[in-house]
Amino acid sequence: MEYFIQQLINGLTLGGLYALIALGYTMVYGVIQLINFAHGEFFAAGGYVGVIVLNYFAGRGLMDSNPWLCLAASLALTMAYCAFLAMAVEKVAYKPLRHQSRLAVLLSALGMSIFLQNALMLTQGVFDKPYPGEKFSGGLVFGDIRISVLQMMIVGLTILLLVGLNLLVFKTRIGMAMRATAQDKIMTSLVAISSNRIISLTFAIGSGLAAAAGIMVGLYYGSVRYDMGFVPGIKAFAAAVLGGIGNITGAMLGGLIIGMVEIFGAGYISGQYKDVFAFIILIAVLYFKPTGIMGENVDDTRV
Amino acid sequence: MKRKLLVALVLGIMVVPFLMDTATAKTLKLGSMGPLTGPYAADGNDIKNGVLCAIDVINDQGGVPGYDKIELFPQDTACDPKQAVASANKLINLEVVGVIGAYCSSSTIPASETLAEEDIIMITPASTNEKVTDRGLPYMFRMCGRDDDQAPAAVKFMKEALGAKTIFILDDKTTYSQGLADGVEKACKEMGLTVLGRDHVNQGDKDFSAILTMARDKNADVFYMSLQNHASGSLMAIQAKRMGLKSKIISQDAMFHPNFISVAKDAAEGVYVTYGYTDKTTDAYKAYEKRFSAKYGQIGAYGTYAYDAAIALMTAIKNAGSTDPAKIKAEMMKLDYDGASKHVKFRPNGDSGSSYVAFKIDGGDYKLYWTPEKGILK
């Protein structure tokens, strides 16, 4: 039983991380029907900017006195940086192709992903960059069950950001504009809502969430690497599709399911088929419900 | 018309130096193979730098007679068998005399078969799988140790020095890591240790929480961590510490890299690593260390072996006074000297012998802890 609970906690943490990354995929898809393959790289960039900022604080001795404040500040800075990065990428690589075929934008996204990954490799080097994660050690211990501070932090932050995002999308005017743009770009621009601005904003928010996940991953696993964006990017994409791409709650659910399946598959069967389990679930769900769990059988234009 | 002639003349004169260069300069071409990109880039670059360092040393000693310069053609294998074969073919086209590499056993084996068709000497500084030299290729040499020496040495260490009775074995399914893990499992059965669990992870995994929870549940005396590269090793060590794994962690030569400690930090403390013994007090090592560190920084696991491999190859070419592979091989077999990593003396099958000992990570450094002959060192 203790074993099960421990694996459940591990699964929740991993699922939370996937969910955070998946949200960006799903939001961008919801608004402009683009699978943004460069999204994983925003996540990796977030991990790197996070460690640079944290090391800057550590170098000034601030990490020792108030580590939590430093973490909050670096989260805010990193999310802002990645938001701007995503907006810039959108301007350069996607906006000029908006009226071309979807394939052109998709290829542009793939190219951007390779470009960003190589830029990270060339500027940051090929070695792992260690994270000052030991400041956040400790946690709760119940017999054989351990919940580390970082695990609580990841789950907590995921819930917080999700609630915030839901409020933004469903309770504010900006959210309303986003949903409207998703439904019909031309009609929305006729009522004086700048669809370009809304699209930029969608990229910014999605990338900000991925950047938060990047910092969390760095702290939780202890280091970041220039190619860290690829595999979680693919998993998060799978999570978004599993949940019904374009649907925010679906992305969250998909992330959690993939995280859980991976951990339980590895914990009860074998670690070598971890990725296989995740994708078997994806295929099974899509076979029986092609729109994904939360997807609806309507036109694929919804946030 | 006159003007055209003048232009032609000037251009012609400008080309002369290049023609002269190709006519007079004789280059000794060497190749190196290793992953220069991808997850194992750190080790691949160490190999390349080790060879470059060796070329500097030979140049300081006056180079190789009959050649004006020695040029290295480093190839990126990315640890991928297909790319390794392509690199081997490229080196054949460049007409290299010998090759230092590759890194992953899974790419060294197919690449060596391609090079063997052209009778090109290959010395691996890093591939420890038994098959590398057991296939009987005439021009295949190995500077590092062998898995079937390392695995029993590791188990002997667990049993004698740590008093271990139970073990949990984990690998990441590469030729190297799985071969070594299989060897450890076999040696455990022979020496009477109980294998409580055996599992695999995927290369490039970051999340090991599930598998570490399983290992913690089994609570074996020893957790044998057989991974292809130190980057995943340090992640696993960090997570194991957070997870509260009580078993002692033992790993192998791939974890013998300064980056393993610099990333894992506290979590690396107390981890045991089996690795070929290098006497760092010898003059040969000190000379190498001084030269390598000045140019390339910290010494990685395979830089030293690559350096020795390149020195051995170039010395053999010097002694042979020829690039005929049979003559170089004959000279390689005659070599008998103290290299930076170990005493260099090749056996008929191309191996240079193993000298596996155990290191303990203590105070941010690898401390020699145990040798098969002397037991735990005080």
Side-chain angles (χ1 to χ4, degrees):
Chain A
M1 190 62 200
E2 281 172 341
Y3 184 71
F4 175 82
I5 294 172
Q6 180 70 61
Q7 296 290 26
L8 191 74
I9 294 162
N10 296 339
L12 264 177
T13 317
L14 186 64
L17 289 171
Y18 285 156
L20 271 183
I21 312 171
L23 284 171
Y25 271 109
T26 232
M27 284 173 70
V28 167
Y29 185 85
V31 173
I32 55 169
Q33 281 81 54
L34 161 70
I35 307 288
N36 180 17
F37 277 114
H39 191 67
E41 266 55 57
F42 297 147
F43 156 76
Y48 267 103
V49 178
V51 73
I52 291 166
V53 175
L54 279 174
N55 281 340
Y56 177 84
F57 289 142
R60 268 145 199 78
L62 294 167
M63 275 295 271
D64 297 318
S65 46
N66 26 6
W68 292 100
L69 202 66
C70 288
L71 181 65
S74 64
L75 258 177
L77 281 170
T78 306
M79 287 169 78
Y81 174 86
C82 284
F84 279 111
L85 176 71
M87 280 154 79
V89 165
E90 197 268 330
K91 278 269 174 320
V92 174
Y94 306 149
K95 198 180 165 207
L97 297 170
R98 198 167 292 153
H99 302 291
Q100 308 293 325
S101 74
R102 276 195 201 177
L103 198 60
V105 199
L106 194 73
L107 283 176
S108 182
L110 274 173
M112 211 60 216
S113 162
I114 295 166
F115 170 79
L116 287 173
Q117 196 182 110
N118 281 286
L120 263 184
M121 183 181 85
L122 291 172
T123 54
Q124 303 296 323
V126 292
F127 297 112
D128 283 50
K129 205 173 175 104
Y131 246 79
E134 63 270 21
K135 290 280 182 298
F136 309 96
S137 58
L140 302 173
V141 180
F142 308 99
D144 261 352
I145 304 166
R146 277 177 180 239
I147 314 172
S148 70
V149 170
L150 287 165
Q151 287 180 318
M152 288 188 275
M153 191 162 79
I154 288 170
V155 175
L157 190 77
T158 308
I159 294 170
L160 198 76
L161 289 173
L162 273 173
V163 170
L165 185 68
N166 261 306
L167 288 179
L168 180 87
V169 171
F170 293 105
K171 297 276 189 266
T172 62
R173 289 179 66 88
I174 295 172
M176 198 194 281
M178 277 167 77
R179 282 178 287 145
T181 312
Q183 263 188 4
D184 195 328
K185 269 194 277 301
I186 298 169
M187 277 309 285
T188 315
S189 49
L190 287 180
V191 292
I193 292 171
S194 161
S195 64
N196 279 338
R197 220 189 260 169
I198 294 297
I199 290 168
S200 271
L201 192 72
T202 311
F203 269 90
I205 295 171
S207 171
L209 296 173
I215 294 194
M216 292 298 128
V217 160
L219 284 172
Y220 184 46
Y221 297 140
S223 71
V224 283
R225 229 183 127 72
Y226 72 96
D227 60 356
M228 68 187 266
F230 183 70
V231 175
I234 296 286
K235 295 269 175 67
F237 170 58
V241 174
L242 179 62
I245 193 152
N247 186 306
I248 289 177
T249 324
M252 193 196 82
L253 204 63
L256 277 180
I257 291 173
I258 290 203
M260 291 287 186
V261 167
E262 273 191 13
I263 294 288
F264 281 108
Y268 282 96
I269 307 170
S270 170
Q272 60 184 328
Y273 301 122
K274 211 171 111 177
D275 298 349
V276 179
F277 296 130
F279 287 101
I280 286 177
I281 293 291
L282 177 71
I283 293 165
V285 168
L286 291 184
Y287 186 78
F288 292 109
K289 198 169 185 309
T291 49
I293 297 169
M294 303 285 283
E296 284 156 44
N297 286 315
V298 289
D299 192 33
D300 52 359
T301 46
R302 272 176 53 92
V303 165
Chain B
M1 195 59 207
K2 249 186 181 173
R3 218 182 131 136
K4 266 190 188 160
L5 203 68
L6 195 73
V7 170
L9 202 68
V10 170
L11 281 177
I13 290 166
M14 280 168 72
V15 170
V16 167
F18 299 104
L19 291 174
M20 274 169 67
D21 191 47
T22 50
T24 56
K26 241 184 127 190
T27 309
L28 179 67
K29 292 176 178 173
L30 298 180
S32 79
M33 289 168 77
L36 302 176
T37 56
Y40 315 116
D43 294 313
N45 280 297
D46 283 339
I47 291 174
K48 185 184 88 179
N49 293 341
V51 177
L52 287 173
C53 199
I55 291 176
D56 284 352
V57 170
I58 294 287
N59 275 334
D60 284 359
Q61 294 166 4
V64 176
Y67 294 95
D68 297 311
K69 63 172 182 169
I70 306 166
E71 196 174 352
L72 180 69
F73 295 93
Q75 300 295 317
D76 182 9
T77 60
C79 218
D80 170 32
K82 287 192 292 296
Q83 202 168 325
V85 170
S87 305
N89 279 317
K90 206 169 161 195
L91 290 172
I92 290 170
N93 286 335
L94 286 164
E95 297 179 340
V96 297
V97 177
V99 176
I100 313 295
Y103 169 73
C104 298
S105 295
S106 49
S107 40
T108 307
I109 293 169
S112 64
E113 272 156 22
T114 310
L115 291 173
E117 287 165 18
E118 301 291 326
D119 288 346
I120 292 175
I121 300 217
M122 185 182 200
I123 311 175
T124 175
S127 299
T128 50
N129 194 281
E130 302 95 62
K131 287 198 198 98
V132 170
T133 47
D134 282 358
R135 293 161 302 154
L137 292 179
Y139 297 108
M140 183 78 226
F141 293 88
R142 162 152 52 198
M143 193 51 86
C144 54
R146 286 168 64 99
D147 286 347
D148 51 1
D149 291 327
Q150 178 164 210
V155 177
K156 191 166 183 254
F157 164 67
M158 293 167 201
K159 195 180 171 188
E160 288 178 5
L162 305 178
K165 292 195 172 57
T166 52
I167 182 170
F168 188 94
I169 305 171
L170 186 76
D171 68 69
D172 64 5
K173 294 191 291 177
T174 53
T175 306
Y176 160 77
S177 77
Q178 197 168 2
L180 205 43
D182 288 343
V184 165
E185 193 173 358
K186 195 167 143 252
C188 280
K189 283 181 182 140
E190 283 162 9
M191 295 191 212
L193 271 77
T194 316
V195 180
L196 289 184
R198 171 86 202 266
D199 211 338
H200 316 268
V201 293
N202 299 310
Q203 267 187 284
D205 269 357
K206 273 193 181 299
D207 192 292
F208 302 115
S209 54
I211 227 77
L212 288 169
T213 303
M214 190 195 272
R216 196 185 66 184
D217 197 50
K218 299 267 194 260
N219 200 14
D221 294 337
V222 163
F223 177 69
Y224 190 73
M225 178 168 90
S226 181
L227 299 173
Q228 176 84 53
N229 80 335
H230 55 79
S232 10
S234 44
L235 290 185
M236 196 177 273
I238 292 171
Q239 291 175 39
K241 192 183 177 207
R242 291 213 187 119
M243 196 65 81
L245 184 79
K246 288 188 200 79
S247 320
K248 287 179 172 128
I249 301 177
I250 296 176
S251 194
Q252 6 74 340
D253 50 331
M255 297 308 137
F256 198 86
H257 194 285
N259 279 354
F260 175 69
I261 302 179
S262 68
V263 173
K265 289 182 222 155
D266 290 354
E269 296 290 309
V271 171
Y272 300 94
V273 176
T274 50
Y275 188 67
Y277 176 63
T278 294
D279 187 355
K280 293 190 178 174
T281 57
T282 62
D283 294 339
Y285 185 82
K286 279 183 187 153
Y288 157 73
E289 187 183 29
K290 203 173 143 201
R291 202 170 260 278
F292 191 96
S293 307
K295 217 163 172 180
Y296 308 109
Q298 277 184 310
I299 292 179
Y302 301 106
T304 321
Y305 286 128
Y307 170 83
D308 273 345
I311 293 276
L313 176 65
M314 285 185 283
T315 314
I317 296 171
K318 247 198 228 178
N319 295 347
S322 153
T323 51
D324 179 46
K327 285 182 187 156
I328 301 175
K329 183 179 176 177
E331 288 300 326
M332 290 274 288
M333 286 305 184
K334 281 188 215 156
L335 292 178
D336 191 352
Y337 69 98
D338 279 320
S341 63
K342 56 154 82 165
H343 186 82
V344 178
K345 175 98 183 81
F346 290 102
R347 295 174 188 170
N349 70 347
D351 271 327
S352 63
S354 306
S355 54
Y356 284 105
V357 295
F359 289 82
K360 183 182 187 179
I361 300 174
D362 183 13
D365 201 4
Y366 295 92
K367 301 264 164 70
L368 187 61
Y369 185 73
W370 174 87
T371 68
E373 298 82 29
K374 295 180 196 156
I376 297 178
L377 304 168
K378 292 288 169 215

